[in-house]
């Protein structure tokens, strides 16, 4: 343990867009995160360190105070709930849509449908609101395979370019939500490290505006 201010980052495509934003906010890892297998990185600011996690684990680290702040997709916050977290800033990066999708030409016969997704809480709420009886099947990846193999009729998944759906003979149906990455802050840390955290929020806010990432 140390008393550095810790920012938890989401690895993968969100990370690629987060690092330039952090640089513009004056925070830079002292080594190349992309080419390293390390999980903890010192920065040019001795009081700030970065940790790199799976997106689904970022809210947990921040909620329990193991990290003071984090960068995570809105889809994950919607799915897990934002208890114990402040969400002060839309970073405007990794924009995509959370959608239902099915094989091209698939039509519901009005009976129950089978839906495969990583986002079971979002899907449950969505189909209930639509008055659709959906049997939810939790998967952890490669959702597009589920309709091909007749495991499910529809999926609920992130759509960015739409290439993955097209490549697998599927089409988007309905948009559930638009998604972008958010800054989250541990509520207790917000009080105990108020000055440092509000400065980082201000620096990131300026970086978002400067980079043209602000929400439309
Ligand atoms: C996401 C999502 C789709 C794909 C959509 O997966 O689950 O498969 O990206 O992007 P596209 O519309 O541009 O094709 P990701 O690559 O993040 O991997 P994951 O399923 O392991 O999260």
């Amino acid at each position: 343990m140390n008393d550095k201010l810790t920012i938890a980052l989401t690895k993968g495509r969100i990370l690629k867009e987060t690092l330039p934003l952090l640089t513009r906010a004056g925070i830079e890892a002292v080594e190349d995160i992309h080419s390293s297998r390390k999980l903890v990185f010192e920065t040019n600011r001795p009081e700030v360190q970065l940790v790199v996690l799976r997106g689904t684990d970022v809210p947990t680290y921040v909620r329990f105070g193991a990290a003071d702040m984090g960068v995570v997709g809105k889809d994950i916050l919607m799915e897990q709930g934002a208890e114990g977290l402040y969400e002060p800033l839309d970073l405007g990066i990794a924009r995509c849509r959370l959608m239902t999708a099915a094989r091209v030409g698939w039509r519901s016969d009005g009976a129950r449908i089978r839906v495969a997704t990583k986002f079971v809480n979002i899907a449950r709420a969505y189909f209930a609101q639509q008055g659709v009886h959906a049997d939810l099947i939790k998967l952890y990846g490669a959702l597009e395979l589920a309709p091909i193999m007749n495991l499910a009729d529809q999926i609920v998944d992130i759509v960015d370019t739409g290439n993955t759906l097209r490549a697998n003979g599927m089409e988007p149906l309905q948009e559930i939500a638009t998604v972008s990455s958010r800054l989250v802050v541990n509520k207790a840390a917000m009080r105990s490290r108020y000055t440092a955290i509000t400065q980082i929020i201000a620096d990131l806010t300026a970086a978002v505006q400067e980079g043209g990432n602000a929400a439309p």
Side-chain angles (χ1 to χ4, degrees):
M1 274 300 281
N2 56 42
D3 61 358
K4 284 177 189 275
L5 194 145
T6 301
I7 308 175
L9 305 182
T10 293
K11 69 180 181 183
R13 60 176 111 180
I14 292 179
L15 185 65
K16 290 196 188 76
E17 295 188 55
T18 304
L19 295 180
L21 203 54
L22 281 174
T23 299
R24 287 204 298 278
I27 299 170
E28 226 168 332
V30 294
E31 60 191 297
D32 180 22
I33 293 184
H34 295 301
S35 64
S36 174
R37 299 289 297 167
K38 282 173 66 172
L39 301 169
V40 183
F41 295 90
E42 304 303 313
T43 72
N44 59 324
R45 289 169 52 169
E47 76 285 9
V48 177
Q49 68 181 0
L50 308 174
V51 296
V52 180
L53 305 173
R54 287 183 73 101
T56 44
D57 291 335
V58 167
T60 307
Y61 271 75
V62 177
R63 184 175 294 122
F64 285 97
D68 301 288
M69 317 174 77
V71 172
V72 64
K74 181 67 178 175
D75 51 334
I76 290 170
L77 294 172
M78 288 170 65
E79 177 64 17
Q80 296 189 3
E83 193 195 333
L85 304 173
Y86 286 121
E87 189 191 312
L89 183 61
D90 181 348
L91 296 168
I93 57 172
R95 290 183 190 280
C96 53
R97 295 179 296 162
L98 191 60
M99 302 199 69
T100 63
R103 297 195 80 178
V104 172
W106 176 85
R107 294 289 173 265
S108 170
D109 60 8
R112 302 178 77 94
I113 59 169
R114 299 164 303 155
V115 179
T117 186
K118 296 180 215 174
F119 304 99
V120 286
N121 293 323
I122 296 172
R124 187 179 300 112
Y126 174 75
F127 286 107
Q129 179 212 335
Q130 300 290 310
V132 173
H133 292 284
D135 294 317
L136 300 174
I137 301 164
K138 168 95 181 184
L139 292 177
Y140 293 87
L143 300 180
E144 296 81 3
L145 186 61
I148 293 173
M149 304 307 291
N150 196 27
L151 177 65
D153 304 305
Q154 287 190 24
I155 63 172
V156 168
D157 198 10
I158 293 299
V159 179
D160 179 13
T161 61
N163 288 340
T164 310
L165 289 180
R166 272 190 295 279
N168 290 288
M170 298 185 66
E171 59 186 358
L173 296 176
Q174 283 161 328
E175 179 177 305
I176 299 176
T178 56
V179 170
S180 57
S181 297
R182 307 301 165 101
L183 185 69
V184 289
V185 180
N186 173 273
K187 283 191 174 171
M190 188 71 188
R191 287 190 294 276
S192 61
R193 314 183 82 153
Y194 181 81
T195 307
I197 289 176
T198 49
Q199 185 61 55
I200 290 175
I201 294 171
D203 291 343
L204 278 169
T205 302
V208 168
Q209 283 159 359
E210 181 194 322
N213 292 321

